[in-house]
């Protein structure tokens, strides 16, 4: 019983610790914000948008990167500043960042689960299908109406948000072109996504996709990120370019900032 308690406590701390990964001293860049009343999730959501420096003076359409944990007190400022730095250094092409501010994070970012202890992390879990429908059916059209965008879309996330990225990759791969996940919580639902990975890859669409994911030394995550990498290697889908960054020296709370730049550069530059 004591082991179960500490295991559950570790999982809960893991989920909470990465919901506010940006530090208070991250400078807040210039950004725009709007609210959208979602029928899919049944509530109003706040959306934050960062555009690169020359967006307002040029006429080019740009690709878009979407992220949960996208509040001003969450990862949005840090990610916007990172993208601005990489663009300035000519390491990536200009793009637009769309941050979705959380309301009930663990509800929106988790899929269904049959594991009783999973359900103890929040009053409501398993809302990822509705959250994904909100992004695809309501948020995509709104962004395309308000901004000059290309068809290329990326999604980025860590921990529970990384789980959502991976779930989207396997269940609705056509939603995005590029997927980036830092220490995704693949233990969810008795590591369902890893257990069914071959099944989903067998039905994968023929369009080209890029997937970058990283694993820290977290005991509840590392085995599953490594197992998933092995599966992807064996399955060897020609249209899926993927890269696994094994980071045993990083903790769950440090891996995002430690690997974000190389993740973004590899994914968006498409050089391998």
């Amino acid at each position: 019983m004591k082991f179960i308690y500490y295991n559950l406590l570790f999982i809960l701390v893991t989920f909470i610790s990465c919901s506010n990964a940006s530090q208070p001293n991250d400078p807040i860049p210039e950004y725009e914000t709007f609210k959208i009343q979602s029928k899919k999730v049944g509530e109003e959501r706040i959306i934050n948008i960062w555009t690169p420096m020359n967006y307002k003076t040029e006429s080019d359409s740009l690709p878009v990167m979407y992220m949960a944990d996208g509040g001003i007190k969450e990862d949005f400022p840090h990610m916007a500043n990172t993208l601005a730095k990489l663009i300035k250094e000519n390491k990536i092409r200009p793009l637009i960042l769309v941050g979705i501010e959380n309301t009930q994070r663990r509800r929106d970012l988790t899929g269904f689960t049959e594991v009783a202890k999973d359900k103890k992390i929040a009053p409501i879990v398993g809302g990822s299908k509705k959250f994904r429908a909100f992004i695809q059916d309501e948020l995509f059209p709104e962004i395309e109406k308000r901004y000059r965008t290309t068809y290329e879309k990326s999604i980025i996330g860590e921990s529970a948000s990384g789980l959502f990225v991976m779930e989207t990759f396997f269940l609705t791969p056509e939603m995005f072109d590029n997927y980036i996940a830092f220490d995704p919580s693949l233990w969810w639902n008795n590591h369902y996504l890893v257990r069914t990975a071959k099944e989903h890859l067998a039905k994968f669409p023929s369009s080209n996709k890029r997937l970058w994911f990283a694993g820290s030394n977290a005991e509840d995550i590392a085995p599953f990120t490594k197992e998933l990498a092995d599966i992807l290697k064996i399955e060897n889908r020609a249209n899926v370019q993927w890269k696994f960054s094994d980071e045993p020296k990083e903790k769950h709370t440090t891996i995002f900032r430690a690997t974000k730049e190389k993740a973004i550069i590899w994914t968006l530059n498409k050089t391998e």
Side-chain angles (χ1 to χ4, degrees), residues 82 85-86 89 91-92 182 256-266:
T82 299
K85 173 181 178 290
L86 294 177
E89 295 171 349
K91 292 182 178 178
I92 61 171
F182 305 89
F256 170 56
R257 288 177 181 252
T259 62
K260 64 186 186 302
E261 290 195 13
K262 65 181 180 181
I264 295 167
I265 291 170
W266 181 88

Side-chain angles (χ1 to χ4, degrees), residues 220-271:
D220 62 334
I221 295 176
F224 304 122
T225 52
K226 292 176 182 178
E227 183 180 355
L228 181 58
D230 290 338
I231 292 171
L232 289 166
K233 185 176 182 179
I234 293 171
E235 294 301 303
N236 193 28
R237 295 278 309 190
N239 62 314
V240 177
Q241 299 297 312
W242 63 276
K243 191 175 186 67
F244 171 53
S245 186
D246 187 16
E247 304 287 344
K249 295 182 180 180
E250 297 298 336
K251 300 178 181 179
H252 189 69
T253 53
T254 64
I255 192 168
F256 170 56
R257 288 177 181 252
T259 62
K260 64 186 186 302
E261 290 195 13
K262 65 181 180 181
I264 295 167
I265 291 170
W266 181 88
T267 304
L268 298 186
N269 283 351
K270 304 181 179 180
T271 54

Side-chain angles (χ1 to χ4, degrees), residues 3-18:
F3 172 78
I4 294 174
Y5 170 78
Y6 282 114
N7 188 45
L8 179 60
L9 181 62
F10 173 79
I11 290 172
L12 181 59
V13 170
T14 294
F15 260 66
I16 293 173
S17 65
C18 288

Side-chain angles (χ1 to χ4, degrees), residues 29-33 49-62 94-96 146-148:
E30 182 178 348
Y31 72 101
E32 298 175 354
T33 188
I49 305 92
W50 174 86
T51 56
M53 183 181 300
N54 296 333
Y55 177 81
K56 293 180 180 178
T57 59
E58 297 181 352
S59 58
D60 292 347
S61 296
L62 301 179
L95 75 162
I96 296 168
R146 291 170 178 260
Y147 296 90
R148 302 188 311 273

